[in-house]
Amino acid sequence: MSTLGDTGTMMLKFYDAYSVRARFIPAMLGAAPALAAVFLLIPWKEFDLYVVVVSVAMLGLLYALSDWARKQGQALEPGLYNQIGGKPSVTLMHRPDRTIDPLSKDRYRTFLATKIKHPAPTEADEQQNAAQADAFYELAGTWLRTNTRDTKKFPILFNNNCAYGFRRNLLGVKWPALGLNALVVAICATALWYNWPISMSDDTVKRVLVVLVVAAAHALYFLLGVSKQNVVLAARTYARELILSTEVFIKLRAR
């Protein structure tokens, strides 16, 4: 088992903190029942070369799954934004939205207008030419994201971004993960029922039962804990913190 752990540690060095938290972990959670089956049912103490090959193959698969989870999460965004009325970093800047106080948003608009070299939309602009106003807020959000990449200076924003990416990507793999869960359960149940393909020892039966427990907990978590509402909440929290980061730049300019 130490071989797998050492290989996993080396593999994680290729991931940055965001990728680990927002991509790799959702991929691992999505494949949890299958991973549990591999870790519990393969005789790791035997066939060292075989263990190394399986370990590397699993880690490579997880890398591919993490990239797939990201793509699945990104594919959800347009439909999700349509359902909630737009991208949160844009809609929170609208004057009717009271998530951030109006006076602060007026200051932020004035400051951001100087950075993106475009006049800030007035209240009338938002009502009469919403597309143009949203284009301003989109550019402003892009400027903020580009200039807040330093995770040491903006740790809260970074953590909120990771939380949003984690929830979004987890929602993206929700139904494939539950499908994989059902497949693992079906294989384990068949093995227990028919005692196939080999005569299972008591220890093996216990391992199969552990896999089934993991599968049950996994299904419960995905069915109850992974939802659009949680993704929207994380998106709005991140957007709010992104907009509030403007305060840092205003204070820096005032020095």
Side-chain angles (χ1 to χ4, degrees), residues 69-91:
R70 177 182 65 87
K71 291 178 180 178
Q72 291 295 106
Q74 288 178 333
L76 289 175
E77 283 185 334
L80 197 63
Y81 291 161
N82 285 336
Q83 290 180 23
I84 62 176
K87 194 173 185 178
S89 59
V90 171
T91 59

Side-chain angles (χ1 to χ4, degrees), residues 144-198:
L144 286 171
R145 282 187 289 273
T146 301
N147 289 275
T148 55
R149 297 190 188 280
D150 190 330
T151 60
K152 292 182 179 179
K153 290 183 179 179
F154 301 94
I156 297 176
L157 179 63
F158 174 70
N159 288 331
N160 285 330
N161 189 26
C162 288
Y164 168 65
F166 170 81
R167 294 187 189 183
R168 181 200 68 184
N169 295 342
L170 204 59
L171 181 63
V173 302
K174 177 177 181 176
W175 295 111
L178 288 171
L180 179 61
N181 186 315
L183 178 63
V184 171
V185 169
I187 292 173
C188 289
T190 300
L192 287 174
W193 183 261
Y194 292 103
N195 202 21
W196 178 89
I198 59 175

Side-chain angles (χ1 to χ4, degrees), residues 3-15:
T3 302
L4 179 62
D6 294 341
T7 307
T9 300
M10 292 177 61
M11 191 73 175
L12 286 175
K13 291 180 180 179
F14 292 98
Y15 288 87

